[in-house]
Amino acid sequence: MSLDEKIGQMTQAERGSVTATDLTTYRLGSILSGGGSAPSPNTAASWADMYDSFQRAALATPLGIPMIYGVDAVHGHNNVVGATIFPHNIGLGATRDPALVQQIGQAVAEEVSGTGVDWDFAPCLCVARNDRWGRTYESFGETPDIPSDMTTLITGLQGATLGGPTSVLATAKHYVGDGGTTGGDDQGNTELTEAELRAIHLPPFQAAVQRGVGSVMISYSSWNGVKMHGNQYLITTVLKGELGFSGFVVSDWNGIDQIDGSSGFTAAEVTTAINAGIDMVMVPTAWKTFISTLRAEVQNGHVPLSRIDDANRRILTKKFELGLFERPYTDRSWTPTVGSAAHRALARQAVRESQVLLKNANGVLPLARDNNKIFVAGKNADNIGNQSGGWTISWQGSSGAITPGTTILQGIRAAVGPTTTVTYNQRGTGIDRSYRAAIALVGETPYAEGQGDRTGSMSLDREDLRTIATLRNAGVPVIVVLVSGRPMDIATELPKWDALLASWLPGTEGDGVADVLFGAAAPTGALPMTWMNSVSQQPINAGDGQVPLFPQGYGLTY
């Protein structure tokens, strides 16, 4: 391989900033779709066509090395309209069911394979220590045991060994300490001793390496003021050396650009990142500059050729193990699995198992399916976008009918018998004493990293509080179903509620929530996070001596 071919393998460009011709000319090793970056029309078949056209261009190079295509399929193949959207990780953490999570990994791998894509930037193995952090819902739990247990997702995605018909390369992210920043500040500074970092944030990565995870993505965050993207000790000495990680390390989106704190990456940043042990660099748009910069840095001796060769060995080994050289194109026999009935049934099971019952005064739940009169209200009752959260069709997610699925209201209507009346009004208008129960579906609306950080209040908004008050004023038992990506500050409101069910962000299969409300399944979920008594307690975690509203592991059943 020439130096240009080697540097090409280490370069990952965004699909919107690269043409098929570029792929051939620059020998690019990888392409990604950023959150919400999709071909038009956004269908599984159109993804497969796009993938194959890029792959044809990669194979037209003299060495014919296939490219590897990466996506954030973090709760299902969530960039693709019509894909099955599973609960976000916080809900999967509540299931305490690693075998279920492995099945989900397998299902996601089938849907991803059906679009050609070979590489998934999942699972997030972050240990979220402060619920103010906007990525809290991407964490399986606040203590390292739960994310470690849920590394079964890796086995589901990759298969027992790479190279199976639906093997998709998994990514343990974000290495390391992304969930431990001061104030829960996204991409912030994790201020811990090395012993604390190793005890809290390292174990899930250790478990991932033991499971043979193919790639590890570096965190934007810093450890005691040093950017992770430039931390040779943690990337090379600890991850590759001590933990024995033999896959390849990828940067986060423009992550090398943040090492010196000013915009636009420099030669020094490129050298620092590559010498720290980053093997593939996600440079979505400025990939040509990256290539010329790295070439110059190798030629002037700042980056040793041995480091370039090591990166290439790691990347090419995974491409060989995945079988990309033998089977470079989409296997379209898997395309019909995208959003299939079987996968939606699995997602519904995951939703059921993720529900955490936190209060059930006078046994108001489960609701009777027959001869009942139920009022449903709230902004999250009939909204696929809201119940799916961020990283759904677009990066930050959005409200509304953004992809096919079953809203929680539709699930409730389908669960009841013909003798039961279900009335819905988003604000609660029209409720009276004749109803036997009222269900308020309230909580958060979609967000992802950055926009999801909450520096102030973590309470329900005015609209939610008004809706609940309207239902309460009718003198009917009120069941609050909280659709949110984290615990919320509700202790002062809770005495006025008859029941509280934490539904997290269930995804497209809202009938799983109805299964629990009507007793088709008993709630078995357990809190993966400590539930604050008040926002002033943040950060609050198991074992820190603070008195919570509900401890980690809490969950009632019928």
Side-chain angles (χ1 to χ4, degrees), residues 44-45 48 109-117 330-332 334-338:
E110 289 175 8
E111 297 201 14
V112 167
S113 296
T115 61
V117 174
T330 308
D331 179 348
R332 297 190 187 232
W334 296 103
T335 311
T337 68
V338 176

Side-chain angles (χ1 to χ4, degrees), residues 40-301:
S40 183
N42 186 349
T43 63
S46 141
W47 276 80
D49 293 342
M50 171 189 72
Y51 174 91
D52 285 354
S53 73
F54 279 133
Q55 193 62 282
R56 265 192 302 277
L59 297 175
T61 55
L63 293 180
I65 301 172
M67 63 96 196
I68 186 169
Y69 198 111
V71 296
D72 289 277
V74 297
H75 63 140
H77 199 0
N78 48 254
N79 281 309
V80 182
V81 171
T84 311
I85 305 297
F86 291 88
H88 268 299
N89 288 353
I90 193 170
L92 298 183
T95 70
R96 297 299 203 279
D97 189 346
L100 170 75
V101 168
Q102 182 166 329
Q103 283 181 279
I104 291 170
Q106 170 68 40
V108 174
E110 289 175 8
E111 297 201 14
V112 167
S113 296
T115 61
V117 174
D118 338 272
W119 180 13
D120 185 2
F121 305 136
C124 184
L125 297 178
C126 47
V127 181
R129 303 291 287 175
N130 190 321
D131 300 329
R132 293 185 177 281
W133 187 37
R135 303 194 87 153
T136 295
Y137 66 78
E138 294 188 59
S139 173
F140 291 113
E142 72 184 14
T143 48
D145 53 315
I146 308 175
S148 298
D149 287 346
M150 296 308 180
T151 56
T152 50
L153 190 89
I154 294 164
T155 309
L157 285 168
Q158 296 191 160
T161 54
L162 285 175
T166 62
S167 278
V168 169
L169 199 77
T171 310
K173 72 183 189 184
H174 306 85
Y175 185 82
V176 59
D178 55 345
T181 62
T182 302
D185 174 31
D186 190 52
Q187 306 185 13
N189 188 20
T190 298
E191 298 174 277
L192 294 172
T193 64
E194 184 172 343
E196 290 166 328
L197 187 77
R198 284 174 174 270
I200 299 167
H201 298 282
L202 194 62
F205 289 92
Q206 202 157 6
V209 171
Q210 283 161 2
R211 283 193 176 271
V213 72
S215 69
V216 170
M217 184 183 289
I218 302 304
S219 180
Y220 283 124
S221 56
S222 302
W223 176 44
N224 295 329
V226 178
K227 285 279 185 186
M228 274 304 311
H229 275 78
N231 197 311
Q232 187 178 28
Y233 171 68
L234 287 175
I235 299 172
T236 298
T237 308
V238 176
L239 177 64
K240 291 181 173 180
E242 184 187 320
L243 299 190
F245 173 63
S246 62
F248 65 91
V249 170
V250 65
S251 79
D252 205 336
W253 178 281
N254 277 332
I256 59 164
D257 190 0
Q258 299 199 6
I259 294 172
D260 67 8
S262 55
S263 164
F265 61 80
T266 60
E269 284 178 305
V270 169
T271 292
T272 299
I274 301 300
N275 286 343
I278 292 176
D279 302 306
M280 186 184 284
V281 181
M282 193 187 292
V283 266
T285 51
W287 53 269
K288 284 182 187 169
T289 313
F290 168 75
I291 288 171
S292 56
T293 305
L294 181 54
R295 187 193 299 120
E297 288 297 281
V298 173
Q299 286 166 345
N300 68 19

Side-chain angles (χ1 to χ4, degrees), residues 129-132 183 454-459 487-492 530-541 544 546-549:
R129 303 291 287 175
N130 190 321
D131 300 329
R132 293 185 177 281
R454 296 288 174 264
T455 51
S457 162
M458 294 177 71
S459 307
M488 297 184 72
D489 187 359
I490 50 148
T492 53
T530 301
W531 201 292
M532 70 190 114
N533 237 317
S534 123
V535 70
S536 62
Q537 292 181 310
Q538 291 295 341
I540 181 170
N541 292 292
D544 67 5
Q546 297 189 80
V547 179
L549 182 58

Side-chain angles (χ1 to χ4, degrees), residues 341-496:
H343 289 172
R344 289 182 184 275
L346 179 65
R348 180 177 181 168
Q349 179 192 344
V351 174
R352 270 201 304 271
E353 289 191 34
S354 68
Q355 303 302 291
V356 182
L357 183 63
L358 295 172
K359 181 178 180 178
N360 193 21
N362 307 316
V364 63
L365 290 176
L367 296 165
R369 277 175 273 191
D370 299 304
N371 302 310
N372 210 340
K373 193 175 181 187
I374 298 161
F375 201 99
V376 180
K379 65 172 182 249
N380 292 343
D382 196 27
N383 198 304
I384 285 282
N386 288 0
Q387 72 189 42
S388 296
W391 290 108
T392 311
I393 311 305
S394 60
W395 173 39
Q396 294 286 330
S398 56
S399 299
I402 58 173
T403 194
T406 304
T407 67
I408 300 170
L409 174 65
Q410 288 169 333
I412 290 168
R413 289 199 192 280
V416 300
T419 55
T420 289
T421 304
V422 174
T423 307
Y424 166 68
N425 177 279
Q426 187 174 322
R427 294 191 173 135
T429 310
I431 190 171
D432 60 42
R433 266 184 196 284
S434 71
Y435 288 89
R436 304 254 187 93
I439 305 171
L441 288 127
V442 295
E444 296 188 313
T445 53
Y447 55 79
E449 54 189 301
Q451 292 183 30
D453 287 2
R454 296 288 174 264
T455 51
S457 162
M458 294 177 71
S459 307
L460 292 175
D461 65 20
R462 253 188 237 112
E463 178 195 351
D464 284 348
L465 294 173
R466 253 200 312 265
T467 301
I468 295 169
T470 302
L471 301 178
R472 259 185 59 76
N473 291 341
V476 169
V478 174
I479 297 139
V480 172
V481 177
L482 200 60
V483 176
S484 69
R486 56 184 135 208
M488 297 184 72
D489 187 359
I490 50 148
T492 53
E493 304 299 323
L494 185 61
K496 308 172 206 164

